[in-house]
Amino acid sequence: MTRLDTPADVGEAAVVGAGEMGRGIAAVQALAGRDVRLFDVDEDQLAEAEEHVEWSTGKAVENGQVTEEEREAALDRLSTADSMAEAVAKADFVTEAVVERQAVKESVFRDLDEYAPEDAVLATNTSGLNVTRLAEVTDRPGQVCGTHWFNPPMLMELVEVIETEHVDPDVADLMIEYIEDIGKTPIRCRKDVPSFIVNRCFRPYGEAAAWLAYYGEAEKEAVDSAMKYREDFPMGPFELADFTGGIQLRVEGERDHLEDDRLLAYDTRVCPLLHELYEEGHYGRKSGKGYYDYTDRDEPHIPATAGREFDPMLVWAPVINEAAKMVQHDVATVEDVDTGMKLGGNWPVGPFEKADEVGAKTVVRYCVDWAERHDPFNKAMETLPCDLLVETAKAGERFY
């Protein structure tokens, strides 16, 4: 059991993994008044992290987010450690932010369980891996949860707090309060499902667009133009996938998703179009080609007029359906899903706000239409409207 009752009881924090996410998570906590120890097995990365924190906190002063005195105090509170054992020896709260591989994280959690005080809370910054399995490799599963930050942590307001079947409810509540106390907005993922809340909604956002292109029903420029210029998304699905490396991530993560046994695990393969691009080495911007060709330009050419004839509900409907599944299975609340997508994805509105705008009956009809498109049976079943969406439509109700 943890002795931590309130956020004020978290006096010392530790972050294991000093990459882009870890260093940002450490800086935020230091600025919020916590003593923070940062560790990485790569000494060069650890040194680079110190320099980056000095730079990022300096930018925060320039932008008027903190004062120079607050910055100096935070830098004094942040220190590096020569070993994991040293980093976490006195920690009340530990965040793991190492490479996104399940086996590596499980190994780290075994060590954290050995070296951290027995009443310390351990959290992982994974963006969708199995938090339950991380908890189960420790002797303190009730004190393990997920705290998924968004990049860059200094600027992004959202943090997903992920619960497992083992976590002590008081620990989960404490983490919600702690995230608020350090100046961020938490949303609660009540069950450990693949991809959690935000990334789970992003999946159909990209998948629907990919299938439309694969079936020859829409050009990528039309989809991206409509979602960007008519629906006010920061990027359309194809542009976003190229920017994030989504083609490579989805194809290389396919086997892990198919073998995942958690609630709402995916049982459908990635759209064949992604496999075709992957085999050609077209991963996105970093490889010079993805959905778009970046050989002679840094940004894709997406005319504002290209999406005039495209129906944005072809993308919205699968997203809303996925969001409704999460509420139906008590993974998240309507409010938390919408908050997550607006803060974590910079979306103009949340899925449920959009559903109320167009009406649940309209969404149901689009989902049925999507299911009829698909030849793969499992994919057809995945895109059928979930029970909550159908019941809401039948009753003529709204989500708000």
Side-chain angles (χ1 to χ4, degrees), residues 31-84:
L31 284 167
R34 270 62 181 192
D35 293 323
V36 184
R37 302 301 305 275
L38 181 62
F39 170 73
D40 197 290
V41 293
D42 185 333
E43 293 180 2
D44 291 338
Q45 179 150 276
L46 194 57
E48 181 184 314
E50 286 188 282
E51 294 177 3
H52 187 272
V53 169
E54 290 189 18
W55 173 84
S56 62
T57 53
K59 295 297 289 184
V61 173
E62 290 180 19
N63 295 332
Q65 296 168 291
V66 298
T67 66
E68 180 60 35
E69 291 74 18
E70 290 170 332
R71 173 181 180 263
E72 291 297 332
L75 293 177
D76 287 342
R77 285 190 288 266
L78 177 61
S79 60
T80 60
D82 295 328
S83 68
M84 184 190 300

Side-chain angles (χ1 to χ4, degrees), residues 208-218 238 271-274 276:
W211 281 103
L212 287 170
Y214 179 70
Y215 289 144
E217 295 187 31
F238 297 107
C271 176
L273 176 59
L274 276 72
E276 293 172 9

Side-chain angles (χ1 to χ4, degrees), residues 239-255:
E239 182 184 5
L240 180 64
D242 278 357
F243 182 77
T244 61
I247 294 169
Q248 184 176 13
L249 291 171
R250 293 284 289 115
V251 172
E252 293 183 356
E254 182 178 51
R255 176 177 292 182

Side-chain angles (χ1 to χ4, degrees), residues 169-234:
D170 290 339
V171 170
D173 289 343
L174 173 65
M175 285 298 97
I176 292 288
E177 295 169 5
Y178 180 70
I179 296 302
E180 291 176 335
D181 192 64
I182 61 175
K184 298 298 179 179
T185 299
I187 58 173
R188 189 188 296 260
C189 188
R190 296 170 173 170
K191 296 179 181 178
D192 180 19
V193 298
S195 302
F196 312 141
I197 298 171
V198 174
N199 285 337
R200 196 166 184 94
C201 284
F202 266 119
R203 182 176 185 265
Y205 183 69
E207 277 277 298
W211 281 103
L212 287 170
Y214 179 70
Y215 289 144
E217 295 187 31
E219 297 294 329
K220 58 184 181 295
E221 292 87 356
V223 178
D224 279 355
S225 177
M227 301 311 291
K228 186 173 184 176
Y229 298 113
R230 290 171 53 200
E231 295 295 301
D232 293 325
F233 280 76

